Amino acid sequence: MWDGPAPVDSAWEAEGEREVELDTPTGCVVIRAFSPEIAGDFQVPRPGVYEGRVSWKGRQAADDQQSSLHAQLAALEGKTNSEAVFAAHHETLETYRIDLWWTAESEDDEDDE
């Protein structure tokens, strides 16, 4: 969380980034993964509208690793416990950073009715 627009952190060495705007009238932010599971959640200091930047690194390496693991598991089909092989060889390579700063109060939805 930042008091104003976040400075770029040159030590982070992100592979990509995207500007975001987030309206959280409850102050709770839920992060979803590409699968149905929730990757995480957190409370922001105050409800409202936040601007920010999401950056990442390791996406391609994680995709390459997943493809390799699927190929290994296909080759082992019926020979061993596939889940154990996956768990033994899986590393967390993908990392995300979320920089947010508060910009305004949330819009009042009652005015729209």
Side-chain angles (χ1 to χ4, degrees):
M1 299 306 304
W2 297 91
D3 293 331
V8 175
D9 181 357
S10 60
W12 169 241
E13 297 179 12
E15 294 172 357
E17 66 179 41
R18 177 165 292 164
E19 302 295 320
V20 296
E21 182 177 279
L22 171 70
D23 187 355
T24 175
T26 65
C28 182
V29 177
V30 177
I31 308 297
R32 286 213 163 285
F34 291 110
S35 58
E37 294 85 26
I38 293 176
D41 63 89
F42 60 92
Q43 285 290 131
V44 291
R46 66 188 270 195
V49 178
Y50 287 78
E51 289 185 21
R53 179 175 48 254
V54 176
S55 53
W56 57 87
K57 56 185 173 181
R59 271 187 177 178
Q60 186 59 51
D63 188 50
D64 293 346
Q65 182 183 58
Q66 182 178 15
S67 296
S68 173
L69 288 171
H70 283 293
Q72 290 174 32
L73 291 174
L76 294 172
E77 186 87 26
K79 297 179 183 175
T80 186
N81 182 340
S82 298
E83 290 179 3
V85 172
F86 180 79
H89 291 83
H90 186 263
E91 298 175 32
T92 303
L93 300 173
E94 207 168 344
T95 307
Y96 291 84
R97 177 177 171 156
I98 303 170
D99 292 303
L100 296 172
W101 52 92
W102 187 89
T103 58
E105 298 290 339
S106 291
E107 289 189 30
D108 187 6
D109 289 338
E110 294 178 17
D111 292 343
D112 295 338
E113 294 178 13

